[in-house]
Amino acid sequence: MVANLDNGRSVELRVNDRGPFVADRIVDVSYGAARLLGMVGPGVIPVRVTITRLAIGEHGAALGPAARFTVQVGSFISLENARVLERSLADGFPGVEVVRRTVGQDTYFRVWVGDFTRRADAQAVAEKLAGRGLAVLIVERDR
């Protein structure tokens, strides 16, 4: 989990073996993650990185064909901020929910839209949400 210490936004990332490519940085992130964190403009931000040992999936579940998907449109430290976004989307999108996740000792409130068996269906909703100016991320749901 990478959290922007300036604005409280966070994103769960999979770490691979690339970067960081500049000294004095602890992690480089993709453009998509940078958008979600609100760091595209500044380029470099103060972050907190929380590392878990789960390499395959949440609770060790293997990712595979029986997967279900959702569209994440926000991740907040504040439950109230998550609820504001949830309410703003509830009329136009079915299945909007706030999901609580604890990473290390930190708690995050993620706003998810939908429960899809096909990634393509999640992608279609993600495109509609992105059209509203929201930063979206398709994630695999817990089973």
Side-chain angles (χ1 to χ4, degrees):
M1 176 71 63
V2 176
N4 180 334
L5 297 178
D6 289 338
N7 64 18
R9 293 182 184 178
S10 64
V11 65
E12 192 169 313
L13 302 173
R14 177 171 291 141
V15 176
N16 60 32
D17 61 350
R18 298 178 300 167
F21 298 110
V22 176
D24 298 327
R25 289 191 193 167
I26 58 172
V27 65
D28 285 333
V29 300
S30 68
Y31 179 77
R35 277 188 23 240
L36 292 171
L37 290 167
M39 66 175 285
V40 171
V44 177
I45 58 169
V47 298
R48 177 179 56 243
V49 177
T50 305
I51 300 169
T52 64
R53 297 183 62 109
L54 299 178
I56 297 174
E58 195 69 25
H59 309 295
L63 306 179
R68 300 188 70 82
F69 302 94
T70 190
V71 181
Q72 183 172 304
V73 292
S75 181
F76 302 90
I77 294 171
S78 161
L79 175 59
E80 184 51 38
N81 289 346
R83 293 284 184 215
V84 168
L85 180 56
E86 176 189 37
R87 286 189 296 271
S88 75
L89 296 174
D91 288 338
F93 296 90
V96 180
E97 62 182 310
V98 174
V99 178
R100 179 185 173 145
R101 290 289 184 257
T102 302
V103 179
Q105 294 188 356
D106 299 314
T107 299
Y108 299 92
F109 301 95
R110 297 177 179 164
V111 181
W112 286 359
V113 178
D115 182 5
F116 307 98
T117 57
R118 295 180 342 123
R119 185 177 182 88
D121 295 335
Q123 181 68 38
V125 170
E127 289 171 8
K128 289 178 187 173
L129 290 160
R132 289 185 163 197
L134 294 165
V136 299
L137 178 67
I138 297 174
V139 296
E140 190 158 341
R141 294 182 69 101
D142 298 338
R143 294 186 206 181

